[in-house]
Amino acid sequence: LGGLGAAVAWAVSMICSSRSSRLIDPRSVVAWVMLVGLVITLPAVALSGVPDRLNGAPGLWLILAGAGNVGGLLFAYAAMRIGQIALVAPLVSTEGAIAAVIALLVGESIAPASGLTLALVAVGIVLAAVPDRRFAGSPASAHHLQAVALAIGAALSFGGSLYAAGRAGAALPSAWVVLSARLIGTVVLALPLALTGRLQLTRRALPLVIASGVGEVLGFAAYTTGARHGIAISAVLSSQFAALAALGGYLLFSERLGRIQLVGVAVVLAGVVLLSALRA
């Protein structure tokens, strides 16, 4: 239930953000999502108190985790402004694979099966990035490549954030790990936009950014709760947010992918699920 709840919450958040990013500037979307998350997270942080190990390496990992999360959202929302959820969501979901690669680069061992799965994910990304032949040379083809590049940037940023969050979470309460991105996003993004009069919000975008902010926090809380009872099941089910978001794009917005792109997305999703199971 925890893993499935996380997948649903993150999928709803992504679907709402894909619409709000087309109504207002993606930076404003991220800013409002961070502000909503900050309001939700602050009470939990106040109850947990200030941890003793906030200074030093844990505090640095906390900052890196928060900054990576904010950067990932900026990339992801910019990608969804011009691209389809069915394409962007699966590419963003490779964040776990990116975190695994980072862990490998810094000296952690990795099983051969995980290495083969990472290669499978890479193949899927390449296939998904191939523009549809029906739109060759058109603006739609250029937008497709831009969306792929931005989604990969989001995955890289989220992957770094996941690795840093893992290091920070080993020494600090989970509420502080959740708070880091919300606090950094508010101070670095929301406040400057507000002070310069560039923080946008419309009546149509308001419920969407609130839903996204709530979904981001609830998803993390649900996953953390589920992982206490079974990391493997929670990891595999939570990774299905990409499939649910892609399904939402198909049902709600009639999104369609070309055959090669569809195969690539399917390969990416299969690789992410397999890698989640192996890593868990």
Side-chain angles (χ1 to χ4, degrees):
L1 290 176
L4 184 59
V8 172
W10 285 333
V12 170
S13 176
M14 179 160 282
I15 290 172
C16 291
S17 298
S18 73
R19 299 303 100 181
S20 59
S21 296
R22 302 189 180 196
L23 296 173
I24 59 177
D25 184 76
R27 293 175 300 173
S28 293
V29 177
V30 176
W32 285 113
V33 168
M34 294 295 101
L35 283 168
V36 172
L38 182 66
V39 172
I40 298 173
T41 309
L42 278 178
V45 171
L47 290 175
S48 66
V50 179
D52 296 330
R53 303 183 61 185
L54 189 57
N55 295 327
L60 178 59
W61 286 118
L62 194 66
I63 294 173
L64 292 175
N69 186 262
V70 173
L73 289 176
L74 286 170
F75 277 118
Y77 292 174
M80 288 187 290
R81 184 180 180 91
I82 60 175
Q84 300 184 63
I85 307 176
L87 173 70
V88 175
L91 295 181
V92 172
S93 73
T94 61
E95 58 189 6
I98 300 298
V101 171
I102 294 174
L104 178 63
L105 293 176
V106 298
E108 292 187 22
S109 60
I110 186 171
S114 295
L116 292 175
T117 305
L118 289 173
L120 179 67
V121 170
V123 171
I125 292 175
V126 172
L127 292 176
V130 177
D132 195 326
R133 292 181 179 180
R134 295 173 298 173
F135 307 111
S138 69
S141 178
H143 287 167
H144 174 83
L145 293 176
Q146 292 174 15
V148 169
L150 289 168
I152 292 175
L156 291 171
S157 189
F158 281 139
S161 175
L162 281 178
Y163 179 79
R167 298 294 297 270
L172 301 172
S174 58
W176 280 84
V177 180
V178 179
L179 175 69
S180 61
R182 280 80 198 158
L183 187 59
I184 290 174
T186 298
V187 174
V188 176
L189 190 62
L191 287 180
L193 288 176
L195 292 174
T196 56
R198 292 179 296 167
L199 184 60
Q200 302 175 359
L201 185 63
T202 64
R203 184 173 299 178
R204 291 178 59 193
L206 177 59
L208 296 173
V209 296
I210 292 177
S212 295
V214 173
E216 287 290 322
V217 175
L218 289 184
F220 186 90
Y223 173 76
T224 302
T225 301
R228 292 172 182 169
H229 301 279
I231 296 178
I233 295 176
S234 297
V236 173
L237 288 179
S238 66
S239 69
Q240 292 307 298
F241 81 88
L244 293 177
L247 179 62
Y250 175 81
L251 295 176
L252 297 174
F253 313 123
S254 300
E255 294 184 350
R256 299 292 188 276
L257 295 175
R259 291 182 179 180
I260 296 179
Q261 299 166 1
L262 190 60
V263 170
V265 166
V267 170
V268 168
L269 289 173
V272 168
V273 171
L274 182 57
L275 182 64
S276 298
L278 293 172
R279 295 287 292 177

